[in-house]
Amino acid sequence: MRLLHFVLLNRLARWGLLVLLPLTCCVNLLKPAHGFRAPAPDTAPNYALESNWAALPTRRDSADAVPRAAGLRDGQTTAAADVFFIYPTTYFWRGHWNAAVGNVRLNRFTDRTTLFNQASAFNAAGRIYAPRYRQATLYSFFDKQGPDGQQALDLAYTDVKAAFQYYLAHYNQGRPIIIAGHSQGATHATRLLHDFFDHDPALRKRLVAAYLIGGQVKTNEYQTIRPCPDSLATGCFVAWNTSERGFDYAPYNGLAATNPLTWTLDTLRAPAARNRGGVGPHMKRIDAHITDAQVHGGLLWITPPNVRGYPRLFVPGYPELRHSFHAADIGLFYMNLRENAAARVRAWQRANR
């Protein structure tokens, strides 16, 4: 088991993978050794403590990073909006169903991967707030034998919800909001929209957009919030799951899928020429025109890139996922996402003068 963890973490560090990555053994070996056990209420994170935030706009952190390219900068100091970012799964151990918020090694790893090359895509659009939370372990998404996996995800969401409540009460001050998350983060962000925005017209009016990337969001997920129809629509959500062109995955039929090269919902293929640039795990360069994109059957089809740093998914025991580029959902479209988030904030400002 220690060898598995060693290989896994080395691959993560080298590729900057985020969740559902190439594993070297059966997923079942990552199953926690015991059933889910609800922790005592007093172990929940206190979000009045800055240490329980992975990113805050008032300090230097990994969300401040920008790719090494001329003209790009962290714009949080003067940003008109806020970004509430929920990072994806970075906890893979089998010792517990949920990670400890105070796990220094895990937090360091989370910061140099997901905060660095995902949350940073939004630092031109808003001030980034990213709470640390008791994230569910990777196996929770594959648990088919009982309620343990869902209970772990529910616990993780209680932290995210508490952090958002604290953010609204102490940080937001009436500013427009972007909600963003990837994978497990998108799962929790989807629930936030249900609990806070779908039935609250006043708060919904402050919603610039929700970026629910790598999650499973139905087209009719909400009563009042719809998928964004174009690049400048506000008060709506975008979502996509990236997969190799030519392959279908039935469970994704009916899910919302946005083309991040056109920001539309149609099924037309957008050529790679419209891709402003992807970034690999270390953001040392911007790979312009890295891939095309086309919505198909609830997926976002792409032509596999011929540049290292954007690996496809391989999970033994789940052959239907072998064509997925889930780990690169954001990286492949980093510059388009960065520019679109800022453009939507400007559109929101024009509409709410």
Side-chain angles (χ1 to χ4, degrees):
M1 200 63 201
R2 289 183 178 179
L3 176 62
L4 163 66
H5 292 167
F6 177 80
V7 173
L8 184 59
L9 287 177
N10 271 276
R11 290 194 175 192
L12 283 164
R14 184 165 69 246
W15 290 331
L17 299 187
L18 311 168
V19 66
L20 301 182
L21 64 161
L23 300 180
T24 57
C25 72
C26 179
V27 166
N28 286 334
L29 291 181
L30 296 179
K31 180 180 179 180
H34 55 76
F36 175 84
R37 300 168 185 166
D42 60 3
T43 62
N46 177 2
Y47 290 105
L49 302 177
E50 289 194 6
S51 59
N52 286 331
W53 293 85
L56 288 171
T58 53
R59 69 173 192 228
R60 290 186 61 83
D61 51 54
S62 295
D64 303 342
V66 293
R68 298 180 186 177
L72 297 181
R73 65 181 183 85
D74 172 18
Q76 294 182 75
T77 301
T78 58
D82 290 345
V83 178
F84 189 85
F85 179 83
I86 311 164
Y87 52 77
T89 310
T90 55
Y91 179 64
F92 309 95
W93 303 150
R94 64 192 301 269
H96 303 280
W97 282 93
N98 294 84
V101 169
N103 186 325
V104 175
R105 183 180 180 186
L106 176 64
N107 291 343
R108 187 182 302 118
F109 173 67
T110 300
D111 294 350
R112 72 170 185 256
T113 55
T114 64
L115 270 292
F116 181 75
N117 51 33
Q118 285 193 331
S120 63
F122 297 94
N123 67 28
R127 306 188 305 184
I128 299 176
Y129 296 85
R132 300 204 187 278
Y133 66 100
R134 291 171 292 182
Q135 58 173 290
T137 188
L138 173 65
Y139 183 80
S140 300
F141 290 92
F142 298 92
D143 181 28
K144 308 297 183 184
Q145 301 175 3
D148 294 327
Q150 187 57 54
Q151 288 177 316
L153 288 164
D154 289 343
L155 175 66
Y157 177 68
T158 63
D159 287 355
V160 172
K161 183 176 181 179
F164 189 67
Q165 290 172 320
Y166 187 89
Y167 156 79
L168 287 177
H170 299 275
Y171 288 137
N172 177 252
Q173 299 179 337
R175 292 159 59 89
I177 305 168
I178 290 174
I179 302 293
H182 179 246
S183 198
Q184 181 170 167
T187 298
H188 301 317
T190 300
R191 292 182 68 172
L192 277 185
L193 262 64
H194 276 291
D195 288 349
F196 289 90
F197 293 88
D198 202 18
H199 303 288
D200 186 339
L203 189 57
R204 190 166 62 247
K205 185 176 181 180
R206 302 205 326 254
L207 178 65
V208 175
Y211 291 84
L212 310 177
I213 304 169
Q216 296 190 17
V217 191
K218 297 186 292 292
T219 301
N220 61 348
E221 181 76 31
Y222 305 104
Q223 292 188 19
T224 59
I225 305 171
R226 298 289 178 258
C228 297
D230 56 52
S231 63
L232 297 179
T234 59
C236 51
F237 72 89
V238 301
W240 69 82
N241 287 274
T242 315
S243 180
E244 182 179 359
R245 177 177 300 281
F247 295 91
D248 292 306
Y249 187 36
Y252 283 77
N253 287 330
L255 296 187
T258 307
N259 190 326
L261 300 187
T262 62
W263 301 104
T264 61
L265 302 166
D266 61 50
T267 57
L268 299 176
R269 175 182 171 274
R274 300 194 67 165
N275 192 313
R276 299 282 292 161
V279 299
H282 306 297
M283 298 204 299
K284 292 183 178 180
R285 66 180 189 275
I286 294 176
D287 298 317
H289 316 316
I290 186 68
T291 188
D292 56 3
Q294 180 179 10
V295 172
H296 175 88
L299 293 170
L300 181 69
W301 273 2
I302 66 163
T303 300
N306 56 9
V307 178
R308 288 179 62 86
Y310 308 91
R312 73 182 75 216
L313 182 66
F314 173 67
V315 179
Y318 294 84
E320 67 275 12
L321 299 178
R322 67 187 180 276
H323 305 290
S324 173
F325 282 83
H326 179 79
D329 280 327
I330 289 178
L332 284 165
F333 308 102
Y334 185 97
M335 289 302 298
N336 292 74
L337 177 57
R338 183 180 182 85
E339 294 173 4
N340 180 255
R344 287 191 200 272
V345 171
R346 292 192 295 271
W348 187 95
Q349 289 177 296
R350 289 193 296 270
N352 293 274
R353 291 183 186 278

